[in-house]
Amino acid sequence: MKIKRILVSQPKPDSDKSPYFELAEKNNVKIDFRPFSHVEGVTCKDFRKQRIDILAYTAVIFNSKTAIDHFFRMCAELRITVPDNMKYFCISESVAFYLQKYIIYRKRKIFFGAGTIIDLIEIVTKHGDEKFLLPFSDLPHEELTEVLDKHTIKYDKAILYHNVCADLSDFLVINYDLLVFFSPSGIKSLLKNFPEFQQNEIRIGSFGAATAKAVTDAGLRLDLQAPRPEAPSMIMALDMFIKEQNKNCKK
């Protein structure tokens, strides 16, 4: 069956120049956007229960912009001034540049990988004497923590935000030929909102290893996975996948 309608489980882009709109026009498909979950910050009271002293750490590892937002939110709410010599290790350049929202970028020690955990760990291991803080959500992050443990990196996790399932009771996922997910929380929300969901001919795409694992752990078929060497972005992966699926399909 041809791919005609795609659901992206993220908010609709603010700009009309989003590559998603270009992708839709280029491939003659309709793309809708609907967040499957939203983020809620942990309260100061709940954070204190974790017995984490932020100033006891010399470096912070960020795997997302959301983690950056809630790290600095918590510091502000606790009236903590992050020292200028704090080191920041980010999974990608775009995440690293996002730090400019909170710090003077050029005056800080900032390191970043090329978007994968392997790249990030290569940099982290060169600074193995640091004591790392890992701001996280309440969702499992086995891939990153397993690699840190494997390399005997000293770190502590700090749960700073929760991923909460959105209410999708007014929505029908069966109207789509392809569902695209970017986090395990999206899969969790899919199953919570649609407990009788049957995949059948609906394709499922995922971004990131953790999301891919959530798809297969849920007993669903994973049809499209990104990033990969030939398609480092979801846009590129979608473009290739749509062309491949629609090439010889008559329906």
Side-chain angles (χ1 to χ4, degrees), residues 36-38 163-167 185 188-190 192-193:
F36 274 47
S37 64
H38 63 273
N163 287 279
V164 181
C165 295
D167 180 5
S185 61
K188 179 181 177 182
S189 180
L190 171 69
K192 180 178 180 181
N193 280 279

Side-chain angles (χ1 to χ4, degrees), residues 141-152:
H141 297 80
E142 290 94 345
E143 185 180 9
L144 178 53
T145 54
E146 283 177 4
V147 176
L148 288 170
D149 292 339
K150 180 180 178 180
H151 289 82
T152 63

Side-chain angles (χ1 to χ4, degrees), residues 11-227:
K12 185 177 181 178
D14 295 328
S15 173
D16 291 337
K17 296 182 180 180
S18 167
Y20 280 107
F21 300 132
E22 295 177 12
L23 177 75
E25 183 176 357
K26 178 181 177 182
N27 291 281
N28 193 29
V29 297
K30 178 174 174 53
I31 300 179
D32 291 331
F33 300 86
R34 179 68 180 259
F36 274 47
S37 64
H38 63 273
V39 171
E40 291 183 359
V42 167
T43 65
C44 289
K45 180 180 178 181
D46 287 339
F47 177 74
R48 289 191 180 99
K49 293 178 182 178
Q50 300 178 51
R51 300 185 180 278
I52 295 289
D53 178 6
I54 291 175
L55 296 179
Y57 298 88
T58 59
V60 188
I61 299 175
F62 291 119
N63 69 334
S64 69
K65 296 176 183 179
T66 301
I68 291 176
D69 282 335
H70 286 278
F71 172 77
F72 285 100
R73 172 189 64 83
M74 186 57 66
C75 288
E77 291 180 4
L78 294 175
R79 298 182 181 179
I80 292 174
T81 300
V82 181
D84 292 347
N85 61 355
M86 181 73 82
K87 295 180 180 179
Y88 302 96
F89 294 79
C90 303
I91 195 164
S92 68
E93 186 176 20
S94 64
V95 171
F97 281 161
Y98 190 71
L99 284 166
Q100 294 178 102
K101 183 177 179 181
Y102 299 99
I103 62 175
I104 301 175
Y105 191 88
R106 60 185 176 82
K107 292 186 177 181
R108 299 295 186 269
K109 295 180 179 179
I110 301 170
F111 311 87
F112 54 84
T116 69
I117 290 175
I118 294 175
D119 293 324
L120 177 61
I121 293 301
E122 285 182 0
I123 299 169
V124 168
T125 52
K126 294 177 182 178
H127 300 264
D129 293 335
E130 305 292 340
K131 187 177 181 183
F132 292 93
L133 183 65
L134 193 58
F136 262 174
S137 72
D138 54 335
L139 291 174
H141 297 80
E142 290 94 345
E143 185 180 9
L144 178 53
T145 54
E146 283 177 4
V147 176
L148 288 170
D149 292 339
K150 180 180 178 180
H151 289 82
T152 63
I153 302 298
K154 294 181 292 184
Y155 73 95
D156 289 311
K157 291 185 290 185
I159 305 302
L160 296 181
Y161 55 99
H162 300 296
N163 287 279
V164 181
C165 295
D167 180 5
L168 304 175
S169 57
D170 62 329
F171 202 65
L172 287 176
V173 292
I174 59 173
N175 289 336
Y176 295 90
D177 306 306
L178 171 62
L179 309 178
V180 182
F181 296 95
F182 294 84
S183 70
S185 61
I187 304 301
K188 179 181 177 182
S189 180
L190 171 69
L191 300 179
K192 180 178 180 181
N193 280 279
F194 309 101
E196 304 300 323
F197 175 73
Q198 297 292 322
Q199 184 174 359
N200 298 323
E201 294 186 347
I202 298 174
R203 287 80 144 191
I204 290 180
S206 70
F207 190 86
T211 310
K213 185 175 185 299
V215 172
T216 56
D217 285 352
L220 299 171
R221 186 186 67 253
L222 181 60
D223 301 288
L224 165 65
Q225 185 174 357

